[in-house]
Amino acid sequence: MSTFDSPDISALTGDYAIDPSHSTIGFVVRHAMVTNVKGGFRDFTGSLHLDGADPAKSTATLDVQMDSVETGNTDRDGHLKSSDFFKIDEHPVMTFRSTKAESLGGDDYRITGELSLLGVTKPLTIDLEFNGAAKDPFGNERVGFEGKAEILRSEWGLTWNAALETGGVLVSDKVRLRFDISAIKQA
């Protein structure tokens, strides 16, 4: 397969490791009711099992080191790591384990699973778009997916906030999650 081939997912059955150096686990949250703050996590591992014959048998796992949060502001990152938010001393890892996968037609898929954060486990559904597959210059067979989901952070116990003089709150409850995943097929 050349580096520009994009085969149907049915040809890609196998086990894959997420490549963190070419992947992004990010989030967007409304700040002060007027702007969006974007952030992400630098340290994570994960795996995919793709079943091209029966996409419903595909699985995904993800482990995120919460102390790797990065928003471009050192003070904000420190606050996110504190007991007001992620409590990284007590809960150093956020995990996702899939429980269901489904093809929505074309390049669109949906994966449902359990997101564990701050000792709370709740269902999470991620809509994914298959971006293609390629063999990189080093001989690695790669697949790419782009995903999105929304959560209410309060459902996982992330309730810290501050009221604004003009009404509203400093940090929105709704958090948009974004995933850009490149995964390498394992031998």
Side-chain angles (χ1 to χ4, degrees):
M1 143 171 57
S2 78
T3 56
F4 297 104
D5 283 343
S6 185
D8 184 284
I9 200 165
S10 64
L12 302 172
T13 296
D15 294 312
Y16 294 79
I18 294 175
D19 176 4
S21 64
H22 295 98
S23 299
T24 304
I25 308 296
F27 60 87
V28 179
V29 65
R30 178 79 65 190
H31 180 262
M33 308 294 292
V34 298
T35 192
N36 290 320
V37 170
K38 297 175 182 172
F41 298 93
R42 295 180 327 276
D43 188 3
F44 53 88
T45 57
S47 63
L48 307 173
H49 172 75
L50 301 181
D51 189 320
D54 185 356
K57 293 181 180 174
S58 297
T59 60
T61 67
L62 183 65
D63 295 300
V64 177
Q65 299 301 316
M66 297 307 286
D67 68 350
S68 73
V69 67
E70 191 170 74
T71 64
N73 180 289
T74 304
D75 290 340
R76 180 173 45 232
D77 296 348
H79 191 202
L80 287 172
K81 295 174 189 181
S82 78
S83 61
D84 284 342
F85 286 96
F86 294 143
K87 303 175 185 170
I88 64 166
D89 291 338
E90 298 172 53
H91 305 282
V93 180
M94 173 176 60
T95 64
F96 176 79
R97 301 291 182 261
S98 67
T99 56
K100 179 181 177 185
E102 57 189 312
S103 173
L104 302 178
D107 290 336
D108 296 325
Y109 296 85
R110 179 168 291 143
I111 192 158
T112 302
E114 301 290 328
L115 178 68
S116 295
L117 173 64
L118 292 175
V120 176
T121 301
K122 294 207 165 277
L124 175 67
T125 298
I126 303 169
D127 288 327
L128 296 168
E129 181 180 353
F130 174 58
N131 286 343
K135 185 176 275 193
D136 69 22
F138 309 102
N140 297 309
E141 292 182 45
R142 291 181 176 269
V143 293
F145 290 90
E146 191 172 339
K148 61 184 177 180
E150 289 187 358
I151 65 169
L152 297 178
R153 63 187 179 92
S154 60
E155 292 183 356
W156 280 266
L158 291 166
T159 58
W160 183 92
N161 227 326
L164 300 174
E165 283 183 25
T166 55
V169 292
L170 187 62
V171 183
S172 67
D173 192 26
K174 181 171 71 173
V175 179
R176 291 175 287 171
L177 304 174
R178 300 292 181 258
F179 308 91
D180 285 303
I181 302 297
S182 178
I184 299 171
K185 191 168 192 177
Q186 304 299 289

